Amino acid sequence: MSRSITCLLLLVTLSTGVQAQEMTDRQRQMWSRSCALCHVSGEAFAPRIGHPEEWRARLDKGMDVLLTHTLEGLDRMPPLGYCMGCEEADFAAMITFMAMPQVSP
Amino acid sequence: MSSRRRFLASALAAGFFTAAGASRVRAHTPWRNWSGWQTATPLSRLVPDDEAALATMLRGSSAPLRPVGSGHSFTALVPTDGHLVVVDRLQGVLDVDKARAQVTLGAGTRLGDIGPLLDAIDQGMFVLPDIDRQTLAGATATGTHGTGIGFTNLSGYITRLRLVTSNGETLDLAEDDERLPAARVSLGALGIVTRITLRTRPAYRLTARTWVQRTDEVLQTFDAAAAAHRHFEMFPLVHSDYALVLAIDETDDPIANPPETPEEATAFDDVMRSWMQIPPQDRRPHINGLAEQAEPAERVDQSWRILANVRTHRFNEMEYSVPAAAGADCLREVLATIERERLDVVMPLEYRYVKRDDAWLSMSYGDEDHAAISVHRSASEDYRPYFSRIEPIFWKYGGRPHWGKLHTLDATRLRRLYPRFDEFLAVRRSLDPQGRLLNAHLKTLFGIA
């Protein structure tokens, strides 16, 4: 499944020229004050947005595992990643957004 | 982006979720606090876009409510099976009154965002807590404080706040409102705070100096050092003779604050892990040896970059404030107990002064400045055996618990510690007569069956 995830993400990028899971404006705002705190700079060893190689091993575990880690916290990542208003679907969209290769529109 | 591309993106992304097996998205997203020890499954998350939307939401339901900031409280202030009210979207600078040096901010503004926001208008906060990921509403509601004999907890800088009561009524509480001292440290029990006006000052730079010194030496001169420096605190290293000392003062020196690498940021965690491999009674020479080699350090930056730190090692914490005059004896007894009973602890303590204030539920309420003493335990460990051994020492010295940090006190004991406790409860009853903002923890604190 792992390769299929990566391939699918790449396919989406190639076919659309944009991020696979385009977040809504609301999700983007929530992301910028939560996940972005660590996933932009790589603080606390967080996998960085735009660095799909840092996400690959995590994607291999599947979205259910990633969501569980997001909700429950893992090591230095706090539960919910500082997004108290996020629902599971929001987290799924944010994870996909961050794991995607970032390309210019 | 063209509609075709948008369609492709969403369609393929939906395929990804299916392929990834994310189809079991739950109807009710669970909630946990920062350390992971407090949990809840709220009925829903209310995330209003503005105050009017919040009022409409609150009027449209009779279910229990609890506000949440960033989930940094270690106590069970937030857990609810009703609605979780998230004020994240009520953020940013709403008004600036430079003549009176006051700034109004959305209650959901993160402390860490306030620094740059105020910098842009040449203003700064007087003080910040050690961690700045909390929201302004959460930090003030719990009496969260920084360091310094000249500085109250954050709520002491509030001159006005707005809250929406559980029945959807909007209230502005100004300095002449007798309820403001109740609302400044409210535990989120009076209503949903939506905006807060703070006293500020012109933006400024600070220099932070750190060094290692014998704990008994620091304690002997602590009062003089606390008076001589803008901020002064220490982090006693348990099972050793030393403490890390931090002194912060204003400066005009140029900024010199190179960012830490992730490895530098976690270096002390690695050291603590190595200490855990050694039995507690054998650690002293190892820790002393390392402490004696530690070099002093200095950095200069804008105030908000110096006052707060990034803490990525998750932990649980208990903190009590005791009258400053009793602080040194209390700290010595805590350290001696850890030593004598060989408590297997590696995280340092924290010892600092906080100025007295007049918020009814402030830990520093009254006519005495207070010493705040914190003990910590990694989130991966059970904090209860350690904290239960230390907590009675705090009681012996008349300690008041930090509302956001772990403690076991109930209404009977809290009433003895807070002279205005019953007046706070009366304000609570008047603003939330149905008790929608109460959860099990608050009922214990307030003595409500």
Side-chain angles (χ1 to χ4, degrees), chain B residues 178-199:
Chain B
E178 61 187 11
R179 296 169 295 186
L180 186 63
R184 294 213 311 262
V185 179
S186 71
L187 284 63
L190 304 186
I192 308 299
V193 176
T194 59
R195 59 177 63 196
I196 292 173
T197 303
L198 294 170
R199 286 191 290 119

Side-chain angles (χ1 to χ4, degrees), chain B residues 91 175 386 442:
Chain B
Q91 59 157 324
E175 282 184 297
Y386 174 34
L442 288 180

Side-chain angles (χ1 to χ4, degrees), chain A residues 5 9 12 17 21 29 42 50 62-63 67 70 78-79 85-86 92-93 95 97 104:
Chain A
I5 294 171
L9 290 169
V12 171
Q21 172 67 351
Q29 289 166 8
M63 183 59 87
L67 279 176
T70 305
C86 285
I95 290 167
F97 168 69
S104 301

